[in-house]
């Protein structure tokens, strides 16, 4: 997959209708947006297109829309928030059909510098392009509204949906251009290039609960990285594969052979695969999750039979921090322990601090790691925090992301 894509800086949109796929999948409580981060993140691209004289048509999904269209998942609150942030009118097309007569009329009435927001793309039920004909019909209707298409929704870039990838075929057919926005460009520059073309030494850190969730990521990163650090719940299956006693720690028995294979692969490729050398253990899980809990730290090869490892210990923190200190590129996805509990967050915090103090390009691959870094107030010390959980993981797996692949190459 070529990562050298045309962006909003490479096109002239004056007087043109520009369809922008954003990620406005914001959290709502009783119809009120509780976190506007994703709206704020979309503003630079929108502002650029407006300043250049484009007629800007915005679209996005919101929520999972399991039981058909409903006002609780309408993009109306997003339209109101955008009006405030842009300081100009945003015409919201409330039609559940998304691309029907109301949308066509609203777009026809647009002047340069106007903004229209379409209704939640998933209200069509065809967004996910199953069956293909239905998805294609929706993609074509979206393309009919515009001359140019901009994808700025990295969080959805791993899905071949009508509004993410399908639409590009029909824009191309009519002689239009398909480009990426500033958010997508940043993800490609940092995440894509970190994996494909890293400045070395390249250290990758994986954590989180299950080995099964990261099989392809571990495999791909062993090929690309110089050092692979594994922490979190998934580390215990690796420790078990080494023949260690792991007590009641999280274990995926079906993946023990896989872990053995990965350790053999690292050795064969001459890569370092670092596992925890000590563990912070508990007798029983705190309830609620952030309740005080008594811990005992033990060596990783001798976890008592009646205890569970829930964080990396001080020796592991030091070992991992040393590897990070020597790196020029670091990618991190997944916490080192049960970071929701203050007592069991020390390992995750230590890794976050090591990244914050590093001179390397530091990239946080979305999801829990992003939440942890922001929660610890270290977000502004990172080179890049990815906006897409699933999409970041697929990038790290080396997969082709439909939303990136569909954009025109430079």
């Amino acid at each position: 997959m070529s990562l050298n894509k045309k962006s909003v800086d490479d096109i002239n949109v004056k007087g043109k209708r520009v369809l922008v796929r954003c990620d406005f999948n914001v959290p709502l409580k009783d119809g009120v947006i509780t976190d506007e981060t994703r709206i704020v993140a979309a503003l630079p691209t929108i502002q650029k297109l407006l300043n250049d004289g484009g007629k800007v048509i915005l679209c996005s999904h919101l929520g999972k829309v399991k039981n058909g269209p409903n006002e609780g998942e309408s993009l109306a609150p997003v339209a109101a928030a955008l009006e405030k942030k842009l300081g100009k009118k945003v015409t919201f097309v409330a039609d559940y059909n998304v691309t029907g007569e109301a949308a066509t009329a609203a777009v026809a009435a647009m002047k340069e510098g106007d903004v229209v927001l379409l209704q939640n793309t998933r209200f069509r039920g065809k967004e996910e392009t199953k069956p293909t004909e239905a998805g294609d019909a929706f993609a074509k209707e979206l393309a009919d509204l515009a001359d140019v298409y901009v994808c700025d929704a990295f969080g959805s870039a791993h899905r071949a949906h009508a509004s993410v990838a399908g639409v590009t075929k029909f824009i191309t057919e009519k002689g239009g251009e398909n480009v990426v926005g500033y958010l997508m460009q940043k993800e490609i520059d940092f995440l894509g290039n970190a994996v494909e073309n890293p400045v070395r030494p390249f250290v990758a850190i994986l954590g989180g609960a299950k080995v099964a969730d990261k099989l392809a990521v571990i495999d791909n990163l062993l090929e690309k990285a110089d050092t692979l650090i594994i922490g979190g719940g998934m580390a215990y299956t690796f420790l078990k594969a080494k023949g260690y006693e792991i007590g009641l720690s999280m274990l995926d028995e079906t993946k023990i052979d896989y872990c053995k294979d990965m350790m053999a692969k690292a050795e064969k490729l001459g890569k370092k695969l670092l596992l925890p050398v000590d563990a912070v253990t508990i007798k029983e899980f705190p309830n609620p999750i952030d309740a005080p809990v008594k811990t005992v730290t033990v060596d990783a090869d001798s976890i008592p039979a009646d205890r569970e490892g829930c964080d990396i210990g001080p020796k592991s923190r030091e070992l991992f921090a040393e590897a990070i200190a020597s790196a020029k590129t670091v990618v991190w996805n997944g916490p080192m322990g049960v970071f929701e509990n203050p007592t069991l967050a020390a390992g995750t915090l230590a890794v976050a601090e090591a990244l914050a103090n590093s001179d390397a390009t530091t990239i946080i691959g979305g999801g829990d790691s992003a939440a942890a870094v922001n929660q610890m107030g270290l977000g502004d010390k990172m080179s890049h925090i990815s906006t897409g959980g699933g999409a970041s993981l697929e990038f790290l797996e080396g997969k082709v992301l439909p939303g990136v692949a569909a954009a025109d190459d430079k």
Side-chain angles (χ1 to χ4, degrees), residues 6-8 11 13 16-22 45 49 57-59 127 139 142-143 145-154 156-157 159 161-172 174-181 184 402-404 406-408:
K6 279 190 185 171
S7 84
V8 286
I11 53 171
V13 298
K16 290 182 181 168
R17 301 168 302 161
V18 188
L19 178 70
V20 188
R21 176 54 157 97
C22 299
T45 295
L49 296 166
I57 307 149
L58 306 171
C59 69
E127 165 69 341
L142 284 166
L145 294 173
D147 307 302
V148 177
Y149 172 72
V150 177
C151 187
D152 211 21
F154 181 72
S156 302
R159 307 202 184 280
H161 289 175
S163 67
V164 176
V167 61
T168 60
K169 175 170 81 175
F170 299 102
I171 292 283
T172 301
K174 60 175 10 181
E177 292 175 287
N178 300 290
V179 305
V180 297
M184 282 280 281
V404 176
D408 299 341

Side-chain angles (χ1 to χ4, degrees), residues 192-391:
N193 288 321
V195 178
E196 291 310 318
N197 192 19
V199 180
R200 298 190 183 276
F202 171 29
V203 174
I205 308 163
L206 292 176
K210 298 182 187 139
V211 176
D213 295 344
K214 307 259 169 85
L215 296 178
V217 183
I218 295 167
D219 207 0
N220 188 45
L221 287 178
L222 266 182
E223 310 253 338
K224 312 276 187 187
D226 302 298
T227 300
L228 179 60
I229 294 173
I230 292 181
M234 61 196 276
Y236 299 101
T237 304
F238 275 89
L239 294 172
K240 185 76 175 174
K242 286 182 78 130
Y244 293 175
E245 173 55 64
I246 61 163
L248 302 174
S249 308
M250 186 171 267
L251 171 66
D252 185 343
E253 289 208 21
T254 64
K255 297 290 176 276
I256 289 176
D257 285 343
Y258 169 85
C259 292
K260 286 180 180 168
D261 290 346
M262 289 302 108
M263 291 189 284
K265 179 175 177 171
E267 201 166 320
K268 190 177 162 201
L269 293 174
K271 305 294 176 82
K272 269 191 197 158
L273 193 147
L274 296 182
L275 295 169
V277 290
D278 55 353
V280 176
T281 67
I282 59 173
K283 198 88 168 167
E284 55 194 41
F285 221 71
N287 184 16
I289 196 157
D290 55 357
V293 60
K294 284 195 173 127
T295 65
V296 175
T297 300
V298 297
D299 285 343
D301 60 356
S302 51
I303 297 171
D306 61 345
R307 298 189 74 85
E308 178 180 358
C310 281
D311 192 15
I312 57 171
K315 287 190 278 196
S316 306
R317 287 173 226 157
E318 209 170 294
L319 177 72
F320 294 177
E322 266 172 34
I324 293 164
S326 66
K328 288 276 186 284
T329 307
V330 187
V331 172
W332 177 25
N333 183 290
M336 296 292 104
V338 186
F339 80 99
E340 299 87 345
N341 184 295
T343 312
L344 304 172
T348 302
L349 178 60
V351 167
E353 283 178 336
L355 263 72
N357 295 328
S358 156
D359 297 329
T361 298
T362 50
I363 300 153
I364 311 301
D368 282 343
S369 326
V373 164
N374 287 327
Q375 212 172 294
M376 291 160 177
L378 295 170
D380 59 346
K381 299 274 200 303
M382 306 300 157
S383 308
H384 178 63
I385 298 179
S386 180
T387 53

Side-chain angles (χ1 to χ4, degrees), residues 3-56:
L3 296 179
N4 195 16
K5 297 294 177 181
K6 279 190 185 171
S7 84
V8 286
D9 287 331
D10 299 314
I11 53 171
N12 175 12
V13 298
K14 187 161 175 58
K16 290 182 181 168
R17 301 168 302 161
V18 188
L19 178 70
V20 188
R21 176 54 157 97
C22 299
D23 181 3
F24 293 145
N25 187 21
V26 292
L28 287 172
K29 192 173 182 191
D30 305 322
V32 177
I33 299 169
T34 55
D35 182 353
E36 293 187 334
T37 307
R38 287 180 168 169
I39 295 172
V40 173
L43 295 176
T45 295
I46 297 168
Q47 206 70 66
K48 156 82 176 159
L49 296 166
L50 291 173
N51 292 345
D52 288 356
K55 301 172 182 178
V56 178

Side-chain angles (χ1 to χ4, degrees), residues 67-137:
N67 306 311
N70 65 87
E71 277 309 294
E73 290 173 306
S74 164
L75 283 177
V78 173
L82 275 168
E83 275 198 348
K84 279 195 192 127
K85 301 245 181 302
L86 291 168
K88 68 186 307 164
K89 182 174 167 49
V90 172
T91 303
F92 177 55
V93 181
D95 179 7
Y96 286 0
N97 187 47
V98 188
T99 52
E101 285 172 24
T104 308
V107 171
M110 291 179 86
K111 296 182 174 59
E112 289 183 13
D114 283 356
V115 184
V116 164
L117 173 65
L118 303 178
Q119 185 53 283
N120 187 339
T121 54
R122 290 202 181 157
F123 280 8
R124 262 296 276 271
K126 312 287 188 282
E127 165 69 341
E128 296 172 26
T129 61
K130 296 171 199 153
T132 310
E133 310 79 69
D136 269 0

